[in-house]
Amino acid sequence: MKSWRIALASFGLLLLVLFLAACSNGSEETSSESNNSDSNKETTSSENTEEEKVTIVYSSGVDTTGATQKLIEAFEESHPNIDVEYREMPADTGQQHDQYVTAFSAQSAEIDVFEGDVIWPAEFAQANYALELDRFIEADGINMEDYFPGTVAAGKFNGKQWAMPMFSDAGMLYYRTDIVDTPPKTWDELIEQASSLKGEAGTQFGYLMQAAQYEGLVCNAIEIIASYGGEIINENNEVVANSPETVKAISKLQEIVGSDFVPDNILNFMETETETAWIEGQSVFARNWPYMQASSNDPERSKVMDKIGITTLPAGDAGSAATLGGWMAMINRYSEHPEAAWKLVKFLSGPEGQKIRAIEGGSAPTLKALYEDTEVTDASPLFANPEFQKVLEAAVPRPVTPIYPEISDILQIELSKALTGDQTAEEAAANIQAKIEAAISE
C-alpha cells in the first residue's frame, strides 16, 4: 500500500514537470514570435515612413506675380516626399484673418502653413492657433540675427518665436532730387526744409503723410514715437505709452499736421491720396511705403520720373525708425504634419525662398545677406539702393499684442483727437495708456 502511494506521487510529479516544461516552451515560442512580429512591424513602419509621401496645404493671399507657384515648384523639387497643395485666400487682409480665425478656432487641421500679416503673430499665439517654432529653429541651427531685427521682433511673443520673416515693408521718406540737395536727417530739419522749399519747381506742399483716422495714422505715429524713444507696449507686455518721449513725439506730429506746408485736408490723406499728389509733382517730401517708387518712375503716370530719391525717415532724439510691414510664415498648431510644415516654412523664410520671391515677385527680403546678391539687386533698383537697407534696419513692429485690433482702434481715436486739437499731447498719451490697460485687463 505504501509503495503504491509513492508510485502515484512520483507519477503525479512527473506529469507536473512535463506540463510546466510544455508551458515554458510555448510561452518562449509565443514571446519570440511576438518579438519577431513587433520587430517586423517596426521595420515595415520605418520603411513606410521613408517612402511615404506627405501632402501639406499652404495658404496665402492673392498673388498676381506668379512667385508663389515658382516657390512651390522649387520646394517640391528639393523635397520629393512632400507635396504642397496651394490654397488662395482673399486679397483683403481682414477677410484672410477672419477665415483663419474661423478655421483655427474650430481646431481644423485643414491648413498646415499660412502667411500671416506682421501684426498677427501675438494674437494667433495667444489664441493657440499658431505653433511655436523655437525647437525647430534651434534644431536646424538657424541664426535669427541674419534677419533684420524688426522682422524677428514682430514674430516674437512671450519670449517665443511664432512666425518666420518672409518679406518686408517699411515706411520711408521720398524727396525731390531736383529741389533737395541734402535730405533732412531730423524731424526739425524736415520741418525747416518743407517750409522753406514749398513752392519750388511747381510744388504746392512741403510734406505729405497719412493722417486720416485709420491704420495708416498708427503707422506714421509709431515711427515718430519710436524715433523719440517712446513705446506703446514694451517687450515685457507692459503698457508704457504715457511717457515724456511719447508726449514729445505726439507734439511733433501735431506741429507737422498743423503747419502750412501740408495740404489743408491732410487729415483725410491715406496712401492713395499721398501717392496721387506725389506723382503729380505737388510735394517736396512724402512719407509712404516702398511700392510708391514704382509709380514714381512710371512714364505713363508720373510727373516726377527720374527726380526722386529715397532715404530713412527723419530721426528724433533716439534715431530714425520706420513702421514695419510685411508677411511671415506660420504653422497651424493643429497641423497633422508639423515636421513637413516646418520644412516649408524654413524654405519660404530661407535664402532660396526669399530670393525667388524677390526676383519673381518684387518682395523685399528680410535676410540681410540677400542685399549683397547681384541677382536680387538686379531685380529691383530699390533692392540695390543702400538707403533702402537702412530703412529696413530701422524698422520697428507695431505693438506686439494679442489684441492688436483693439489697440489700433484706441490709437486711431486718441491720436486723431490730438491732431484735430480736441486734446493735448499729454492728454492723448494719458488716455492711450489708460484705455489700453483697460482693454488688456478685460
Side-chain angles (χ1 to χ4, degrees), residues 110-379:
E110 191 176 349
I111 294 169
D112 298 285
V113 176
F114 62 101
E115 291 186 8
D117 192 310
V118 293
I119 61 176
W120 295 355
E123 176 192 352
F124 281 41
Q126 180 80 9
N128 230 19
Y129 299 156
L131 185 68
E132 58 272 26
L133 305 178
D134 299 86
R135 62 187 175 95
F136 298 116
I137 293 169
E138 184 178 348
D140 287 348
I142 294 174
N143 185 1
M144 299 304 288
E145 292 183 2
D146 291 342
Y147 297 84
F148 291 111
T151 65
V152 175
K156 198 162 194 171
F157 177 66
N158 280 345
K160 295 180 179 180
Q161 198 72 36
W162 302 89
M164 290 295 288
M166 287 192 308
F167 58 95
S168 191
D169 214 356
M172 52 201 285
L173 183 68
Y174 290 79
Y175 64 94
R176 288 279 295 273
T177 56
D178 58 328
I179 302 174
V180 179
D181 293 326
T182 305
K185 298 294 184 186
T186 67
W187 288 107
D188 288 335
E189 287 182 13
L190 171 72
I191 291 170
E192 180 184 345
Q193 290 189 30
S195 180
S196 63
L197 296 174
K198 180 185 103 171
E200 295 285 328
T203 56
Q204 301 173 45
F205 313 114
Y207 183 60
L208 303 172
M209 57 176 290
Q210 297 80 54
Q213 187 176 314
Y214 80 118
E215 183 65 20
L217 172 59
V218 176
C219 294
N220 280 252
I222 290 297
E223 289 165 344
I224 196 166
I225 289 170
S227 77
Y228 280 97
E231 289 182 282
I232 303 300
I233 298 174
N234 66 18
E235 61 181 10
N236 297 319
N237 299 324
E238 299 167 334
V239 185
V240 291
N242 193 10
S243 68
E245 294 81 7
T246 298
V247 170
K248 188 172 184 179
I250 295 175
S251 297
K252 192 64 63 177
L253 199 57
Q254 289 174 314
E255 182 180 353
I256 293 169
V257 168
S259 70
D260 63 359
F261 57 75
V262 300
D264 291 339
N265 62 338
I266 191 68
L267 294 179
N268 295 324
F269 265 55
M270 299 185 186
E271 284 88 354
T272 303
E273 288 77 14
T274 301
E275 180 185 21
T276 299
W278 173 254
I279 64 177
E280 282 291 320
Q282 295 180 13
S283 186
V284 180
F285 299 102
R287 181 270 176 209
N288 212 338
W289 305 97
Y291 82 90
M292 196 169 75
Q293 190 178 58
S295 57
S296 299
N297 288 307
D298 184 343
E300 296 183 3
R301 300 176 58 198
S302 178
K303 295 181 181 178
V304 294
M305 186 173 172
D306 299 326
K307 296 178 183 178
I308 67 156
I310 62 166
T311 188
T312 55
L313 288 163
D317 297 337
S320 176
T323 297
L324 178 73
W327 290 78
M328 314 189 81
M330 305 173 73
I331 298 176
N332 174 11
R333 174 172 289 280
Y334 306 106
S335 167
E336 295 175 356
H337 308 289
E339 300 291 338
W342 164 250
K343 288 179 181 177
L344 178 58
V345 167
K346 181 182 175 182
F347 179 85
L348 294 171
S349 60
E352 187 178 354
Q354 289 205 30
K355 184 173 179 176
I356 291 171
R357 203 186 289 270
I359 295 171
E360 302 294 338
S363 299
T366 59
L367 285 165
K368 303 172 192 176
L370 286 179
Y371 290 90
E372 298 173 6
D373 187 314
T374 54
E375 290 183 87
V376 171
T377 54
D378 287 347

Side-chain angles (χ1 to χ4, degrees), residues 67-78:
T68 301
Q69 189 56 43
K70 290 186 181 297
L71 280 165
I72 292 172
E73 290 170 1
F75 174 78
E76 289 181 334
E77 186 177 346
S78 60

Side-chain angles (χ1 to χ4, degrees), residues 48-56 76 79-83 337:
N48 288 342
T49 300
E50 290 176 5
E51 295 173 2
E52 183 183 4
K53 247 193 172 180
V54 172
T55 298
I56 59 175
E76 289 181 334
H79 298 78
N81 288 338
I82 304 175
D83 283 338
H337 308 289

